[in-house]
Amino acid sequence: MYPLRRNRRLRTNEAIRSLVRETIITPNDFLVPLFIVEGKGIKDEIPSMPNYFRYSLDLLEGEVKALWKLGLKSVLLFVKVPDNLKDNKGTEALNPNGLMQRAIKTVKNVCPDMLVMTDVALDPYSAYGHDGIIENGQIINDETAEFLAEMSISHAQAGADFVAPSDMMDGRILTIREALEDEGFINTGIMSYSAKYASAFYGPFRDALDSAPVDLLDIPKDKKTYQMDYANRFEAIRETEMDIDEGADIVMVKPGLCYLDIVREIKNEVDVPVAVYQVSGEYAMLKAAAEKGWLDHDAVMMEQVTAMKRAGADIIASYFAKDVVKLLS
């Protein structure tokens, strides 16, 4: 006797599969990372990230308009800082006419309703490629947090809607939140990289911004003293809960695919939006495999972003955002 319930009835054709689908991807799910460089007329493809570009401010305008037309309403800005402006303390980050500050204004001028989030970290500005100030061969925490608060104020003054601290210094969310409140930026949000792991998947991103840690004997060669050990799970929950207590409005897990268990753990524990970052290495791997003909690019791309949302991500920061939305349309 056959069973009364046959689960395959709900898989018979695309119409029924679409009707009962549990996880739906839309343009509203995405946060688009953008890389900015000095100069004019520059749209520079990143070698390790095929079909992804660094933009000068004049061409950034057109890219922002194109994103908005596709229904992509949120961007996350990163800047590639010239070497001559880098130092140990990230001084250039506070320049009111710096590249990040001008990039924020550019986006807001061309598309006032675009949500602008900004990377808050020292590594693009550091002569050593680290997310903190270095003293006596150590990345010092509290002074770095204070500097990140100043950087956040500068971004808010330029018009940023959210600041996104990606450094993993202890206590920096509270320091930033208090500084923003003191300066009257009560509506400037914080998206905290709460569970950012010391991952090998960041290589192409560091190429894009020329921000890899330098190899010198007297300083750390990696970021393992502040980014999380990828073997740890419960630590991610502790970090995230602390950030929420300190004032984070959105929390993020980074990277994505290898950390979907962490996304789900955090989603089950917190009551704020959870973001995930589909990082440069994840992007590069699929692009390379598709170029070789080993994987179906679009099918795998959609499977990956769906998995991230299914795992509990409310927001997906992804270099695939434009590709996904074009495919959906």
Side-chain angles (χ1 to χ4, degrees), residues 62-73 111 114 325:
E63 180 65 8
V64 169
K65 290 178 182 177
L67 293 174
W68 187 260
K69 189 174 182 179
L70 287 169
L72 292 162
K73 303 170 186 175
C111 190
M114 181 71 79
V325 172

Side-chain angles (χ1 to χ4, degrees), residues 148-164:
L148 296 174
E150 293 184 60
M151 189 190 305
S152 298
I153 291 168
S154 180
H155 293 184
Q157 289 171 336
D161 299 293
F162 273 73
V163 294

Side-chain angles (χ1 to χ4, degrees), residues 273-289:
V274 176
V276 67
Y277 202 136
Q278 187 178 27
V279 298
S280 59
E282 298 170 65
Y283 176 88
M285 287 193 303
L286 177 50
K287 289 293 185 183

Side-chain angles (χ1 to χ4, degrees), residues 68-102:
W68 187 260
K69 189 174 182 179
L70 287 169
L72 292 162
K73 303 170 186 175
S74 305
V75 295
L76 177 58
L77 302 183
F78 299 90
V79 294
K80 186 178 186 295
V81 179
D83 287 345
N84 66 304
L85 296 178
K86 296 181 180 183
D87 59 25
N88 183 30
K89 294 188 176 182
T91 308
E92 175 62 17
L94 304 184
N95 181 356
N97 197 39
L99 183 57
M100 176 64 83
Q101 289 79 358
R102 284 180 283 131

